């Protein structure tokens, strides 16, 4: 029996990202007197992202809690003003593909996406990857 290869990707921070997020986030922290390096912010954000369960549909409240945990991890106390400033500065930043995703078209096997993104993911992937076919797109909001 021949085994067929299939690659299943996550979407956010694997195929797509918001490159301006870090600058916006750190600018807000610095404006509120929280001094941290970009490297430390990225590391703490990544670690927290791996241990916190993201809901199928995120909300202002979710991001306030998430960002409060990041700020605590930086040794600072999150205030409502800082949390709201981060949310407002970062909520509608554009998604972009990672540079290395240009090589996906060279894969010789079917590819798909499994993500806890919302249902807008299909349209976003079609827009950002117009020449790529994802054989399956599994979205937690749809799959429940």
């Amino acid at each position: 029996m021949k085994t067929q290869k299939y690659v299943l990707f996550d979407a956010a921070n694997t195929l797509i990202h918001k490159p301006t997020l870090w600058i916006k986030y750190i600018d807000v922290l610095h404006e509120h007197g929280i001094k941290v390096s970009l490297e430390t912010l990225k590391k703490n954000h990544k670690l927290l992202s791996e241990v916190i369960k993201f809901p199928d549909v995120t909300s202002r409240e979710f991001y306030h809690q998430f960002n409060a945990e990041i700020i605590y991890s930086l040794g600072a106390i999150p205030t409502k003003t800082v949390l709201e400033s981060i949310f407002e500065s970062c909520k509608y930043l554009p998604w972009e593909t990672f540079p290395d995703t240009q090589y996906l078209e060279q894969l010789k096997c079917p590819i798909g996406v499994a993500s806890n993104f919302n249902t807008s993911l299909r349209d976003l992937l079609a827009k950002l990857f117009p020449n790529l076919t994802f054989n399956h797109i599994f979205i937690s909001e749809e799959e429940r």
Side-chain angles (χ1 to χ4, degrees):
M1 175 182 217
K2 184 178 178 184
T3 304
Q4 183 177 7
K5 292 182 180 183
Y6 188 98
V7 181
L8 192 60
F9 293 96
D10 188 8
N13 297 317
T14 302
L15 297 176
I16 58 176
H17 67 131
K18 294 182 174 187
T20 57
L21 173 73
W22 306 112
I23 300 306
K24 297 280 189 182
Y25 203 117
I26 209 160
D27 284 350
V28 170
L29 292 178
H30 288 178
E31 286 171 15
H32 291 275
I34 301 170
K35 302 298 180 197
V36 61
S37 71
L38 185 58
E39 181 181 306
T40 299
L41 175 62
K42 284 182 173 184
K43 180 188 80 172
N44 289 23
H45 188 281
K46 177 64 174 166
L47 290 171
L48 193 60
S49 295
E50 295 299 326
V51 298
I52 287 191
K53 183 180 189 283
F54 279 71
D56 291 339
V57 179
T58 57
S59 64
R60 179 182 302 265
E61 293 75 28
F62 168 78
Y63 280 113
H64 280 203
Q65 291 171 352
F66 180 80
N67 290 323
E69 293 298 328
I70 290 174
I71 293 170
Y72 282 129
S73 79
L74 299 171
I77 304 296
T79 64
K80 289 180 182 179
T81 304
V82 173
L83 295 174
E84 190 59 26
S85 293
I86 292 170
F87 184 80
E88 288 299 320
S89 293
C90 300
K91 68 179 177 179
Y92 291 120
L93 298 175
W95 289 98
E96 296 180 24
T97 61
F98 279 105
D100 61 355
T101 58
Q102 67 182 333
Y103 298 104
L104 293 176
E105 293 178 33
Q106 297 175 15
L107 291 176
K108 304 281 190 239
C109 63
I111 60 173
V113 174
S115 179
N116 66 339
F117 217 89
N118 61 44
T119 56
S120 70
L121 181 61
R122 290 178 196 289
D123 291 338
L124 182 61
L125 291 174
K127 175 185 165 194
L128 295 176
F129 297 97
N131 300 320
L132 194 61
T133 300
F134 292 99
N135 297 80
H136 298 95
I137 298 175
F138 302 103
I139 301 170
S140 63
E141 185 179 24
E142 296 173 357
E143 301 295 326
R144 306 254 177 234

